[in-house]
Structures are given as structure tokens and as C-alpha cells.
């Protein structure tokens, strides 16, 4: 565990970048430092690998002060990823990735073999191995940056706004990739960003810093959204934190209805039996949704697909959150969200009212838990 | 009748001998200048405040006429090649020092931060990151220094027969053979162009990592 113990950083010009900060960074989880520009995120991160020395306080790694070991030994045990990757432009992709293993004395051949392995892990085509950084896109360079940081298999990964210089689509890809890699490798990651959505998506724990380098709140993202510590945190979270909070509520418990689902080959009797529903969800012969239709306008035996209304974005109960379910219901012209299984077959439909009920129930559950925890 | 490449005996060299001598007198000072410039430039990068005075000194050295250097140096080294080469080496500093400083400073700060964060010490950072990335700028400086050194060697004729190909200019006057002067000037120009071409080639070989003109991505 990394323990930041009452650390202050005063730069020679008098700027106090970090002010009596204490944090316990859990092992094998992603801890995100988030806050407005200039609030001391980079300074905090760089104190962990001693690129910046604290003016006061200490940082402990597994109980020992990080100043106990030689600075370069410490740094080689911590991967570091930065904005714009900071690749060595004069080295090939493979040699970039092999940098730290080479420093640690791994023979060239072995280091390169390991680098090739890592390229695959971070989703880079092996054809890029012999290229130079200028021949890669920004997103690819960032992946190389991640691979380079992972090359010596360090237990700790420090990441300073690694994904902020790429476009939103590439950024989402990189974030998903990081979560996947983290699932496989279980590193202790300290991740700096000024993007609260990124913090909430990636963080197991999120530390919100305010200008002047003081800690505003340190909590799991769901708690941050449900109980911001003060007006600053609430403001920083943005206007729609209620909606975003739904991301942390599972959709598994939603009560699904199957009655309004009919196959495209449904006969007259079947259609008549369901005539009281305002809309029916028509599926193809495999059970995949095709669209919504009003019961009296459907033709028995074969439905004209062009008359069906779009069914919006379906959600997968269990995998997706209430936020996705609600989004599906809001987007659907009928106000009903479609639930599908992993193969895309319709397993039920659910109305906005039912989702609303589920949201209220989830809130009640959280409130009860908070009370129980408070009582303990 | 003398052929174009037949030289008067007082030059004490064949044509090719003079070419070799000329190259030696021109290139050794550039090499010496480079060896001095590298640490000086590194000091200038490390301690920013010494860069302006260092630049001032190199400019002043460049402004001193070679004759003035010769007058002083002849006391120590006589009418020798060394006497010619020392001022040439000093002149080369005025291009090489700023070229290397600019080159080393052109390394992106995030690259340096990454190198530091990966546990490369200051010495490794210099030799494995800063210097290789500065190569294009250094060679650009070397090209200017080399070509100017090749043309400046001729002043060695002022101290008697130490100007290599430049000595032919003196003989052209003495023996009324203008062809010697033409030969001298042409040969010096060709040497300059060839040396420049060699340096461009070296740059291309040393920097496969540079984006090539016209090629994007
Ligand atoms: N070397 C330095 N000397 C003096 N002041 C500095 C130095 N580095 C940072 N600062 C100041 O310390 C404060 C915190 O800087 P830091 O880089 O840690 O912020 P940050 O949270 O990473 O900001 P950003 O989101 O813009 O990257 C800022 O006010 C900055 O101006
Ligand atoms: Mg920063």
C-alpha cells in the first residue's frame, strides 16, 4: 500500500502545490486523483516516484519510507505514463517498450520478446514493432506508453492524464482497455485526470483535490455521487450527478414483462390476446427485437417491418446499469426499454415507471446501508 | 607548358597531397571544436545563466582576425599546422555551441520526464536520450562549421606555406599562373560540397527515426 502521510509541497517560489495531504492508496486498485487545473495532481503523483521531493511529511510504500531505497531503483519499480506518451522518438516501438527491462539488465533478446508480448496485451498490431513513434497515431502512441510502463511488470503504475490528448472515441477505447488490463494484472494504479467522468469510470477510489492542494473528498465514486462532501465537490461533479449515479445501480432486479413480446410470425389469435397492450415488441424468428408496433395495425402471420417503430438501445439485465436501462426507455418512442440477453435476443420489456420504482428502491437501500454503517 | 594539376615545387606537395593536407587542416579543428563544444553546451543547458556569456565569448573569438592569432601562436608553435588549426577550432565554436544547445533543448520536456520517471540517471539521460535526439541539430552545425573551415584553411598561406590549397593562390601571383588560382578556388569549393554531402549522408544514416520529407505518419 502507498501511504501519503500529511505531505506538503512548497515550490521554491513559494507556491504551495500540495497542502498537508494524507491518502491511503489501496493495493491492486485504481485510485484517481481529480481536480481543477493547478490543484497539485501532478505534484502529488511525482512525489510518489520522487521526481518531486515533499517539503514536509512522508510517503510510505508497504510501510517503508520511499526515501529508504535508491531513487532510480524506486522509479524502475513504478511504471509511469504521461500525456502525449513521451516516447523516445529515436527508438523503435519495440525498443521503447523494452527500456526499463534493459535498464534492469534483461538481455536484449529477452527484453524484446517481452515487449512484443506487451504490444499484444495493449492491443497493438505486431507489425508496428519496428516502426518509429512518428509513424503512429496519438492513440497508438499512448498504448505504447502503457506497454512501456508495464514492461518490467512493476507493482505500481503512475498515470498522469494519459488519455487527455486523444479524441473521445479513442479515449473511451483506451479507458476500456485499461480496465481490461487491470482485471488481468491487478496493479496498484494512481491515475491523474481533470475529467470527473473519467475518474468515476475508472476509479475504485477517487480523491477530489481543490485548488491549493487540499483534499476535498476521498471516496468510492458511487459515494461521491450520492454524498458529495461539500459545495465544491458537488459543483465539480456537475449538474447531472443524479443520472450518473444510476451507473452504480444494477439492472438485474428490474421486473421484466414478456407478455408484450410477439414473434414476427404471430397468428391472429396471439395478436388478439395481447390487444390490450398499447404496443407490442415484434421479434424475428430468432427472438431478436425488430421494433414496436400497435397491436391493431399488425398483420397476423407476417408483419411489415417498415411499419415498426425503432426500439431504441436495448440493455442487458445484470451487465448494464439502471442508467442504461433508463436511457433505453427514454430513447424508445413507446417509453419502454427492451432487455436482451448476451446474444441480443429479447428477454423482456420494462416501462419508465418500473425503472423509476427501481431507482427509488435503490436509493432507499443505499440510505439504509449508510445509516447502518453510521450506527456501527 | 605546365598542366592544370602540375604544381610549382615550392609547394612541396603534389596536387593530391595538398588536397589531403587541406582536409586535415580543415577537419581536425572542427573535430576538436566538437569535442570542446559538447561539454560546454551541456553546461549551458544545465546552468542557463552561463549560456549568454559563453555565446559572447565564442562571438568575440570569431571576431578576432586569424592574423592576430598567428602572431601570438607562432611564438609557441612556430609556422606550423597547429598554429593554423587552433584559430580554426576556436572559430567553429561560434556555430557548434549554439547548435548543440538548441539540439539538446529541442528534446520534448515530456520525453525527458518519461526518461527520468523510468529511472534513467542524468548520465544515461544525456547519452541515451538528449544526445541522440540532438544529432540532427549537431550535424546541421557541423555542416556550417566544416564548410567554413575548409575555406578558411587558405589563410595559412599568410604564415608561409601552411595554407594547403590556399598556397596555390600565392604561387599564382608569384609565377603569373592564374590557372593555379582557378584550380585552388575550384578544388576548395568541390571539397566543401563533398564534405557537406558526406555529413548529410551521415545524418540520414544516424536518424532513421526522423519523419522523411513528404511522408506523413
Ligand atoms: N516547478 C514548479 N515551480 C513552481 N511552481 C510549480 C512548479 N510546478 C508546479 N507548480 C505550481 O504548483 C501548482 C500545482 O501544479 P501541478 O502541476 O501539480 O497541478 P495539476 O493539478 O497537475 O494541474 P494540471 O491539471 O493543469 O496539470 C500550480 O499552481 C503550479 O503552478
Ligand atoms: Mg498536471
Amino acid at each position: 500500500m502507498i501511504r501519503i502521510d500529511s505531505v506538503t509541497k512548497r515550490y521554491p517560489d513559494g507556491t504551495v502545490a500540495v497542502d498537508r495531504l494524507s491518502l491511503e492508496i489501496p493495493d491492486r486498485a485504481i485510485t484517481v486523483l481529480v481536480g481543477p487545473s493547478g490543484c497539485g495532481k501532478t505534484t502529488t503523483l511525482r512525489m510518489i516516484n520522487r521526481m518531486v521531493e515533499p517539503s514536509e511529511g512522508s510517503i510510505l510504500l508497504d510501510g517503508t519510507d520511499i526515501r529508504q531505497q535508491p531513487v532510480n531503483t524506486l522509479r524502475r519499480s513504478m511504471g509511469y505514463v504521461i500525456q502525449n506518451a513521451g516516447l523516445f522518438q529515436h527508438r523503435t516501438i519495440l525498443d521503447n517498450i523494452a527500456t526499463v527491462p534493459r535498464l534492469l539488465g534483461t538481455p536484449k533478446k529477452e527484453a524484446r520478446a517481452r515487449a512484443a508480448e506487451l504490444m499484444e496485451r495493449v492491443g497493438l498490431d505486431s507489425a508496428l514493432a519496428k516502426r518509429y513513434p512518428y509513424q503512429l497515431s496519438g492513440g497508438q502512441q499512448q498504448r505504447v506508453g502503457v506497454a512501456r510502463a508495464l514492461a518490467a511488470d512493476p507493482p505500481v503504475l503512475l498515470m498522469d492524464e494519459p488519455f487527455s490528448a486523444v479524441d473521445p472515441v479513442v479515449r473511451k477505447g483506451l479507458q476500456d482497455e485499461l480496465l481490461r488490463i487491470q482485471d488481468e494484472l491487478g496493479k496498484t494504479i494512481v491515475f491523474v485526470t481533470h475529467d470527473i467522468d473519467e475518474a468515476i469510470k475508472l476509479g475504485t477510489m477517487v480523491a477530489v483535490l481543490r485548488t491549493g492542494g487540499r483534499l476535498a473528498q476521498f471516496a468510492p465514486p458511487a459515494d461521491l455521487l450520492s454524498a458529495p462532501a461539500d459545495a465544491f465537490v458537488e459543483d465539480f461533479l456537475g449538474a447531472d450527478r443524479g443520472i450518473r449515479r444510476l451507473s452504480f445501480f444494477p439492472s438485474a432486479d428490474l421486473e421484466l414483462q414478456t407478455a408484450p413480446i410477439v414473434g414476427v410470425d404471430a397468428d391472429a389469435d396471439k395478436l388478439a390476446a395481447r390487444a390490450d397492450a398499447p404496443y407490442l415488441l415484434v421479434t424475428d424468428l430468432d427472438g431478436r427485437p425488430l421494433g414496436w408496433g400497435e397491436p391493431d395495425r399488425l398483420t397476423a402471420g407476417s408483419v411489415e417491418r417498415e411499419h415498426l417503430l425503432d426500439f431504441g438501445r436495448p440493455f442487458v439485465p445484470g451487465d448494464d446499469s439502471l442508467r442504461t436501462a433508463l436511457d433505453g426507455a427514454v430513447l424508445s418512442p413507446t417509453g419502454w426499454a427492451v432487455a436482451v440477453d448476451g446474444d441480443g435476443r429479447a428477454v423482456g420489456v420494462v416501462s419508465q415507471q418500473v425503472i423509476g420504482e427501481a431507482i427509488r428502491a435503490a436509493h432507499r437501500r443505499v440510505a439504509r446501508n449508510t445509516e447502518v454503517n453510521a450506527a456501527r | 607548358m605546365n598542366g592544370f594539376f602540375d604544381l610549382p615545387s615550392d609547394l612541396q606537395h603534389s596536387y593530391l597531397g595538398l588536397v589531403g593536407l587541406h582536409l586535415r587542416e580543415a577537419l581536425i579543428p572542427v573535430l576538436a571544436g566538437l569535442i570542446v563544444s559538447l561539454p560546454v553546451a551541456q553546461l549551458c543547458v544545465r546552468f542557463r545563466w552561463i549560456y549568454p556569456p559563453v555565446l559572447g565569448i565564442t562571438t568575440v573569438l570569431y571576431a578576432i582576425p586569424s592574423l592576430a592569432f598567428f602572431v601570438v601562436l607562432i611564438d609557441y608553435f612556430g609556422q606550423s599546422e597547429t598554429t593554423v588549426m587552433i584559430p580554426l577550432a576556436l572559430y567553429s565554436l561560434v556555430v557548434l555551441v549554439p547548435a548543440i544547445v538548441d539540439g539538446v533543448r529541442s528534446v520534448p520536456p515530456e520525453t525527458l520526464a518519461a526518461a527520468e520517471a523510468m529511472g534513467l540517471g542524468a548520465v544515461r539521460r544525456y547519452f541515451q536520450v538528449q544526445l541522440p535526439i540532438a544529432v540532427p541539430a549537431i550535424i546541421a552545425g557541423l555542416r556550417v562549421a566544416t564548410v567554413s573551415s575548409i575555406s578558411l584553411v587558405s589563410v595559412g598561406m599568410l604564415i608561409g606555406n601552411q595554407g594547403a590549397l590556399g598556397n596555390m593562390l600565392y604561387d599564382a601571383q608569384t609565377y603569373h599562373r592564374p590557372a593555379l588560382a582557378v584550380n585552388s578556388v575550384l578544388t576548395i569549393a568541390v571539397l566543401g560540397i563533398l564534405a557537406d554531402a558526406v555529413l548529410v549522408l551521415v545524418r540520414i544514416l544516424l536518424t532513421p527515426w526522423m519523419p522523411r520529407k513528404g511522408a506523413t505518419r
Side-chain angles (χ1 to χ4, degrees), chain B residues 126-162:
Chain B
Y126 180 66
F127 284 106
Q128 296 186 11
V129 181
Q130 293 178 304
L131 206 52
I133 292 178
V135 159
I138 295 174
I139 291 190
L142 278 178
R143 288 172 63 186
V144 179
T146 303
V147 173
S148 91
S149 186
I150 285 175
S151 82
L152 281 174
V153 164
S154 317
V155 299
M157 74 177 184
L158 294 176
I159 56 167
N161 249 357
Q162 293 303 343

Side-chain angles (χ1 to χ4, degrees), chain A residues 9-18 33-46 52 83 160-161 192-194 209 211-213:
Chain A
K9 176 62 193 182
R10 209 172 294 107
Y11 281 109
D13 65 358
T15 313
V16 177
V18 175
L33 307 179
V34 68
S37 185
C39 70
K41 305 180 293 290
T42 298
T43 303
T44 305
L45 195 73
R46 289 188 172 193
V52 173
Q83 194 178 341
D160 193 351
E161 306 206 19
V192 164
T193 179
H194 56 247
L209 300 180
T211 313

Side-chain angles (χ1 to χ4, degrees), chain A residues 69-229:
Chain A
Q69 54 177 319
V71 66
N72 285 331
T73 311
L74 176 81
R75 287 177 186 163
R76 288 169 201 173
S77 73
M78 295 181 169
Y80 190 77
V81 190
I82 44 178
Q83 194 178 341
N84 298 320
L87 298 184
F88 296 152
Q89 62 196 76
H90 60 295
R91 291 196 182 158
T92 61
I93 301 310
L94 212 58
D95 287 341
N96 261 285
I97 299 174
T99 305
V100 181
R102 292 288 291 136
L103 280 175
L104 292 169
T106 312
K108 198 164 199 156
K109 225 174 140 186
E110 206 175 303
R112 284 191 170 161
R114 165 106 182 109
E117 221 175 276
L118 275 159
M119 286 187 67
E120 200 173 320
R121 169 148 271 157
V122 300
L124 283 168
D125 190 342
S126 58
L128 302 177
K130 289 270 175 288
R131 293 213 194 160
Y132 289 97
Y134 82 92
Q135 295 165 308
L136 266 56
S137 71
Q140 289 171 329
Q141 291 193 17
Q142 214 54 60
R143 283 173 199 266
V144 177
V146 174
R148 182 172 69 173
L150 289 170
D153 203 17
V156 176
L157 219 53
L158 307 176
M159 308 181 85
D160 193 351
E161 306 206 19
F163 306 148
S164 52
V166 293
D167 70 62
V169 177
V170 175
R171 186 179 317 145
K172 182 177 179 308
L174 289 166
Q175 291 168 344
D176 292 341
E177 198 86 8
L178 180 68
L179 288 173
R180 192 183 55 71
I181 293 171
Q182 173 64 356
D183 268 351
E184 292 168 14
L185 301 182
K187 300 288 181 191
T188 301
I189 299 179
V190 187
F191 189 106
V192 164
T193 179
H194 56 247
D195 175 357
I196 185 68
D197 288 318
E198 188 168 62
I200 285 170
K201 174 170 180 181
L202 298 178
T204 313
M205 289 294 282
V206 177
V208 185
L209 300 180
R210 68 171 97 236
T211 313
R214 271 166 308 133
L215 183 65
Q217 188 167 8
F218 186 45
D223 294 7
L224 214 59
L225 289 168
S226 59

